[in-house]
Amino acid sequence: MKSISVKAHAKINIGLDVLRRRSDGYHDVCMIMQSLSLHDDLTIKITDKENISLKSNLVYLPNDRRNLVYKAAALFMEANSIKCGLEINLNKKIPVAAGLAGGSSDAAAALKGLNQLFQAGMSDAELMQLGVKIGADVPYCILLGTALSEGIGERLTPLPPIPDCHILLVKPDISVSTRQVYESLRLDSTTIHPDIEGMKEALVSADLDALTAKMANLLESVTIRMHPVIDDIKKDMIKVGAMNSLMSGSGPTVFGIFRNKSRAEQAYAYFSDNYKHAEQVFLTRPYQP
Ligand code: ATP
């Protein structure tokens, strides 16, 4: 095998709790993650040169070590003492810096793809250990599906899959710095934490009504304070028939969950058709590997 094509799936957080700030600056989190069928595409070719060459369809993304795909490839080659060159093509569809873990997922897909391409025989657990050096969400992006993510994101427990539904994503035309959101977060004894246990129970009983009723993200109020438009989108998402709506990760993407396909399609049309706050809109579904 001289080349391989892999998909890198986006994720949303249906629940996001922050437990504490750690002395190393990271935060201990407790999140329910869900992969989406929305994905980037990566093609990796072995070349007889010695360098890694990365090209993507987005001119503003760096093509060097600052790109998480490059970082993942360099780390994998070093860990497995492989010397040949690589030509990597990245076709991005997942919005960048949107709370959808696009970069982490690209890195995870690169690690998995290279493991297959070189038949290196690394287990998922070994790939996750390598992945967490790139970013806290990379181990989850290796696992995929519905999962509980704890610690800084490296402790993962698969959960029963989310009941079948349609997921509408609306990304407003704003950039959010994950670091700034975490730095502005104030945790004290009055903080109301999301009911992650209740969400787990709703998944076990495959109860989409209970799950969507309990969806919550502790970072949401922080990002909404900086960008009130996120709250406007959430309210409009409910108005057009979503069971519930939430910001993903540190934002700014807002998602809505719909049981009914035609209602989801109507909502997609509403947000795609000159909705003033939307930069990108996607109608997608949960992805289970
Ligand atoms: P998270 O949900 O983990 O917070 P995100 O969706 O907010 O992730 P990404 O799309 O992963 O954010 O991008 C965050 C930053 O990482 C961007 O500023 C971007 O320049 C950089 N980056 C590096 N490599 C990539 C990549 N392959 N795809 C997207 N962004 C990348």
Side-chain angles (χ1 to χ4, degrees):
M1 191 168 29
K2 281 275 187 298
S3 77
I4 191 163
S5 293
V6 277
K7 289 179 180 168
H9 291 270
K11 67 88 188 146
I12 50 170
N13 305 85
I14 34 186
L16 194 162
D17 195 8
V18 184
L19 306 180
R20 65 190 71 82
R21 188 173 193 278
R22 300 161 29 138
S23 52
D24 59 8
Y26 282 99
H27 287 81
D28 278 326
V29 292
C30 184
M31 313 190 282
I32 298 184
M33 320 287 279
Q34 177 61 53
S35 311
L36 302 177
S37 42
L38 172 68
H39 64 272
D40 293 340
D41 290 295
L42 271 121
T43 306
I44 311 172
K45 273 188 204 151
I46 300 175
T47 67
D48 47 17
K49 298 178 191 135
E50 285 206 351
N51 63 325
I52 298 171
S53 138
L54 172 66
K55 289 193 183 116
S56 93
N57 58 325
L58 298 183
V59 283
Y60 57 85
L61 267 191
N63 285 335
D64 54 20
R65 272 182 189 277
R66 288 168 298 164
N67 194 303
L68 302 188
V69 171
Y70 191 109
K71 237 186 199 167
L75 207 58
F76 179 90
M77 300 302 265
E78 196 191 308
N80 289 283
S81 309
I82 301 172
K83 291 274 177 287
C84 54
L86 297 172
E87 202 178 285
I88 308 178
N89 257 293
L90 170 62
N91 185 25
K92 283 213 68 85
K93 286 174 274 181
I94 305 171
V96 174
L100 300 171
S104 304
S105 188
D106 293 343
L111 292 176
K112 281 167 115 174
L114 287 163
N115 193 37
Q116 272 191 51
L117 186 62
F118 289 103
Q119 297 182 350
M122 289 179 78
S123 65
D124 276 1
E126 287 168 331
L127 289 175
M128 287 176 189
Q129 273 173 25
L130 210 54
V132 78
K133 295 181 185 169
I134 304 166
D137 278 345
V138 178
Y140 164 72
C141 294
I142 289 169
L143 179 71
L144 299 169
T146 313
L148 184 72
S149 165
E150 296 172 285
I152 63 161
E154 83 293 4
R155 266 178 31 229
L156 295 165
T157 314
L159 292 172
I162 187 173
D164 195 28
C165 59
H166 302 267
I167 299 175
L168 184 62
L169 305 176
V170 176
K171 187 203 166 260
D173 182 17
I174 47 175
S175 295
V176 169
S177 150
T178 301
R179 174 184 291 239
Q180 205 188 341
V181 171
Y182 272 100
E183 278 174 1
S184 309
L185 177 69
R186 297 282 167 266
L187 293 172
D188 60 37
S189 55
T190 65
T191 305
I192 298 168
H193 291 270
D195 179 12
I196 300 288
E197 278 308 312
M199 280 183 250
K200 280 162 65 181
E201 282 162 23
L203 284 167
V204 170
S205 52
D207 184 343
L208 191 61
D209 288 296
L211 180 72
T212 51
K214 287 176 194 293
M215 288 192 323
N217 176 348
L218 195 73
L219 299 177
E220 202 177 62
S221 60
V222 180
T223 313
I224 286 177
R225 230 177 293 135
M226 298 170 186
H227 304 285
V229 64
I230 290 169
D231 203 36
D232 298 339
I233 300 172
K234 282 186 56 165
K235 287 183 178 132
D236 287 338
M237 194 72 91
I238 304 286
K239 268 192 212 152
V240 294
M243 298 174 77
N244 203 354
S245 175
L246 197 71
M247 183 186 84
S248 184
S250 54
T253 302
V254 172
F255 66 89
I257 299 207
F258 296 78
R259 197 196 306 272
N260 180 287
K261 187 176 180 205
S262 64
R263 192 168 283 184
E265 285 169 348
Q266 282 166 17
Y268 173 78
Y270 171 80
F271 283 110
S272 311
D273 191 12
N274 292 322
Y275 179 77
K276 58 180 184 294
H277 303 307
E279 184 187 49
Q280 283 171 291
V281 185
F282 300 90
L283 183 54
T284 183
R285 300 193 79 166
Y287 170 79
Q288 305 296 342

